[in-house]
Amino acid sequence: MQEIRQKFTWMKGKVEKYVFDNYLLKHIETPIIDEDKLLILVSIADLLELPIAKLENYTLSTMLIQTALDTHEHISEKTGNEKSRQLTVLAGDYYSGLYYKLLADSEEIMMIKTLSNGVKEVNEHKIAVYHKESDSLENLMNNIKSLESALLKNFANYFQLDLWNEQTANILLFKRLLAEKKQYVQRKWSIVFEAIMHIINSHDNVHLSELTDKQQSHLINVYDQLLDRTKQTIEDGMNKIPFLNEFLESRIGFLVKQHQPYVKTFLEEG
C-alpha cells in the first residue's frame, strides 16, 4: 500500500507541475486533477510492472488529456469574463498539446492513437448526455459511464488488461452521479438531472426550475434509486476485481460511503 501511495503522490506532483501554469492560474479557475482516475492509472501501470520512465510517460500523458477534457467540459456561464472563458479553452488545448508532445517525443505513436480513440468516445457520449439524446435511464447511465471511463478503458486495452474495466466504469459512474447530486442540491441545476427529467417527463421541454415540489421529490427518488443500484453493483463486484491494491480498495470504500438519502442530505445542507 505504501509503495502505491508513494507512486501516486509522485505522479500527482508531476501532473500538477504541468497543469498549474502560473499565468493561466491568474485568469482561470484552478484545474481539477481527477485523483481517482490518476490512482487507477498508477495502479494499472504498477500491475503491469512498467519501468518507472514508462509509468511516468504513459500516466502523465493520459492525465493531461483527461484534464484537457475536464477543463473544456467545465466551461460554462459561470466562467467569469470573456477573457477567462477564452483562456480556459486555450488551457484545455494546451494540456492536450502537452500530452501529444510527450508521447510524440518518445515515439509512442500507438499510444497516441489509443488515447485519441478514447477522446473520441468521450466526446461522443458527452454529446449524447448534454443534448439529451438518451431514450431511457439505462441508456443515459451507459452514456455517463462511458464518457467517464472511455479514456481509462482504452489505456487498459492497449496493454490487453481489461480485468478492471467494468468495475472501473461503475466506480466512475457512481462518482459522477454523486457530484451531480451535490451540484443539484446546492445550485438546483445539473446536466444529469436535466437529462433524467427529460426522460421521465416523456421528453417534454420542462426546466428544473419549473418543477413542483412533488415533481422534485419524484426526480430525487428516481436519482437515489440509480445511485443505490450503482452502489450495490460496485459492492457486489469488489471481490471480483483481481490484484486490487489496498490503497485503491480503501478509496473505493470511502467513495461508496458518500451516498446518503436525499432527505438526510437536505436536512444537513439546511
Side-chain angles (χ1 to χ4, degrees), residues 5 14 19 67-69 102 130-131 144 146 183 201 224:
R5 188 184 294 274
K14 291 284 185 179
V19 170
T67 305
L69 289 167
L102 285 171
Y130 275 71
H131 290 193
I144 298 171
S146 294
Q183 181 171 305
N201 284 332
D224 274 348

Side-chain angles (χ1 to χ4, degrees), residues 7-256:
K7 287 181 178 178
F8 167 79
T9 302
W10 172 68
M11 278 311 309
K12 182 184 175 185
K14 291 284 185 179
V15 176
E16 288 176 342
K17 183 179 178 180
Y18 279 87
V19 170
F20 295 157
D21 180 273
N22 288 333
Y23 176 76
L24 289 174
L25 293 183
K26 292 178 181 178
H27 301 282
I28 67 172
E29 294 182 15
T30 304
I32 297 174
I33 298 171
D34 194 318
E35 295 187 6
D36 293 305
K37 290 179 182 176
L38 175 58
L39 177 55
I40 292 169
L41 284 169
V42 171
S43 297
I44 292 173
D46 184 70
L47 191 60
L48 292 164
E49 298 182 343
L50 292 176
I52 200 69
K54 291 279 189 181
L55 183 151
E56 177 181 347
N57 198 27
Y58 289 150
T59 306
L60 178 56
S61 300
T62 306
M63 285 308 300
L64 283 171
I65 193 62
Q66 180 65 62
T67 305
L69 289 167
D70 292 342
T71 300
H72 282 154
E73 182 170 355
H74 289 100
I75 298 170
S76 64
E77 293 179 0
K78 72 181 181 63
T79 305
N81 56 37
E82 186 60 25
K83 181 179 180 180
S84 294
R85 291 173 60 83
Q86 291 175 353
L87 283 171
T88 303
V89 173
L90 291 174
D93 294 342
Y94 172 64
Y95 303 144
S96 182
L98 284 175
Y99 119 83
Y100 186 88
K101 184 178 187 305
L102 285 171
L103 292 177
D105 287 348
S106 55
E107 299 184 349
E108 296 285 357
I109 307 305
M110 292 307 298
M111 178 57 85
I112 292 175
K113 182 178 179 181
T114 296
L115 294 181
S116 295
N117 288 336
V119 171
K120 180 182 177 183
E121 288 182 45
V122 169
N123 287 329
E124 287 173 351
H125 292 286
K126 187 181 296 183
I127 289 171
V129 172
Y130 275 71
H131 290 193
K132 304 181 182 67
E133 296 176 359
S134 305
D135 56 7
S136 68
L137 292 176
E138 181 179 3
N139 185 231
L140 174 62
M141 292 300 104
N142 285 333
N143 279 322
I144 298 171
K145 183 190 294 188
S146 294
L147 79 84
E148 288 295 328
S149 63
L151 206 59
L152 270 66
K153 180 197 73 175
N154 278 268
F155 179 88
N157 288 346
Y158 178 80
F159 298 103
Q160 298 181 324
L161 186 71
D162 61 354
L163 301 174
W164 292 4
N165 281 356
E166 185 59 31
Q167 279 301 309
T168 295
N170 288 326
I171 291 161
L172 295 176
L173 167 63
F174 185 75
K175 180 180 177 179
R176 178 63 181 262
L177 292 178
L178 284 175
E180 293 287 336
K181 181 178 177 180
K182 180 179 180 181
Q183 181 171 305
Y184 178 72
V185 170
Q186 293 179 345
R187 303 176 187 171
K188 293 304 177 188
W189 186 85
S190 152
I191 188 62
V192 175
F193 272 77
E194 285 270 12
I196 292 174
M197 183 187 64
H198 184 65
I199 293 169
I200 64 179
N201 284 332
S202 302
H203 307 280
D204 292 337
N205 290 320
V206 180
H207 295 288
L208 287 175
S209 59
E210 300 171 347
L211 295 181
T212 64
D213 289 344
K214 184 177 181 180
Q215 288 173 319
Q216 288 188 52
S217 295
H218 177 57
L219 178 60
I220 288 290
N221 184 51
V222 170
Y223 197 89
D224 274 348
Q225 289 179 32
L226 293 171
L227 271 168
D228 290 338
R229 190 185 313 161
T230 308
K231 179 179 180 180
Q232 190 62 55
T233 300
I234 294 170
E235 291 175 338
D236 291 344
M238 283 295 291
N239 293 330
K240 300 176 184 177
I241 307 177
F243 312 112
L244 183 64
N245 64 71
E246 291 182 21
F247 189 24
L248 181 54
E249 183 177 10
S250 174
R251 175 57 195 172
I252 295 170
F254 173 80
L255 192 64
V256 296

